Amino acid sequence: MSQLIVPYITSWSAEQEIPSRVVELPGIGIGYANEMFGDRDAQGVLWLRSGVRHGVGKPEFGKVHPLRQRRAMRKLLCQVCAGPADLNDDGLLWLLRDYRSDWTGWPDGMGCTEPPVCLPCASVSLRLCPALRRGAAAVRVRESVVAGVRGALYRKSPIGPVSAEDVNVAYDDPDIRWVVASALIRELRDCTLVPLEELIEQRYAAHKR
């Protein structure tokens, strides 16, 4: 029987969101009523609280664990195995849904929440990931800047802050003080599209060495 491959950033059924009351902090934005050290990142942004029980229960494919996604994006780790992402002279390797018809030069300048990948895991992902089977693009990225977060934007109300919508927010946007983040965003720059066939050839060449 083949071994089940579960990406590092995937949430498990034992890792449920920790119920937390969001309150307004006058002049600051929002916070947790019982806020603790570690609830905010180095830029002061509030993050979603989630249990950390990696590998316990059943994998919830399609649901990303916020802290592991943040770690993988911050350290540029492979989203599948958590090892170093593949790097060559053209840059780090990203495997993305193919949206090159969205604009000329895609994905240059795109805000991305998917961490990069290593070569072996790229081959596995192309084979097994349902989203990528609908159309995938391999991209080498020479520069990726931590630019902001994706999360729930809160608004004032008579009963206190209420979640209004999911948004992508830059770190220099004042609205970020009203966001509970669930994913870190990097802006991809100086990108080169790599034919998937070439990526597979690189994988086999690396395997033979």
Side-chain angles (χ1 to χ4, degrees), residues 73-206:
M73 285 292 265
R74 190 166 50 85
K75 294 180 173 288
L76 293 171
L77 304 177
C78 173
Q79 63 172 286
V80 180
C81 71
D86 191 73
L87 175 67
N88 67 15
D89 291 343
D90 291 323
L92 279 164
L93 177 62
W94 255 267
L95 200 57
L96 306 172
R97 280 289 307 276
D98 191 348
Y99 291 115
R100 72 187 77 188
S101 61
D102 282 9
W103 73 81
T104 302
W106 179 93
D108 261 299
M110 184 181 80
C112 180
T113 58
E114 292 88 3
V117 292
C118 66
L119 265 178
C121 290
S123 300
V124 172
S125 299
L126 286 170
R127 229 176 41 244
L128 300 180
C129 178
L132 293 177
R133 285 202 296 265
R134 293 196 291 270
V139 184
R140 291 285 182 180
V141 180
R142 285 197 174 92
E143 184 182 6
S144 62
V145 180
V146 173
V149 299
R150 179 163 183 79
L153 176 65
Y154 280 70
R155 300 292 190 194
K156 294 184 180 184
S157 84
I159 59 171
V162 293
S163 178
E165 58 183 324
D166 288 333
V167 293
N168 292 345
V169 186
Y171 271 118
D172 59 1
D173 188 326
D175 276 349
I176 203 164
R177 299 180 299 115
W178 287 81
V179 169
V180 176
S182 56
L184 192 66
I185 294 174
R186 279 185 178 269
E187 183 181 330
L188 307 184
R189 301 175 182 172
D190 198 359
C191 302
T192 303
L193 286 163
V194 180
L196 294 179
E197 298 79 9
E198 182 179 323
L199 191 70
I200 294 169
E201 288 174 5
Q202 291 174 6
R203 163 64 178 134
Y204 283 130

Side-chain angles (χ1 to χ4, degrees), residues 1-5:
M1 187 168 62
S2 60
Q3 182 181 5
L4 182 65
I5 297 174

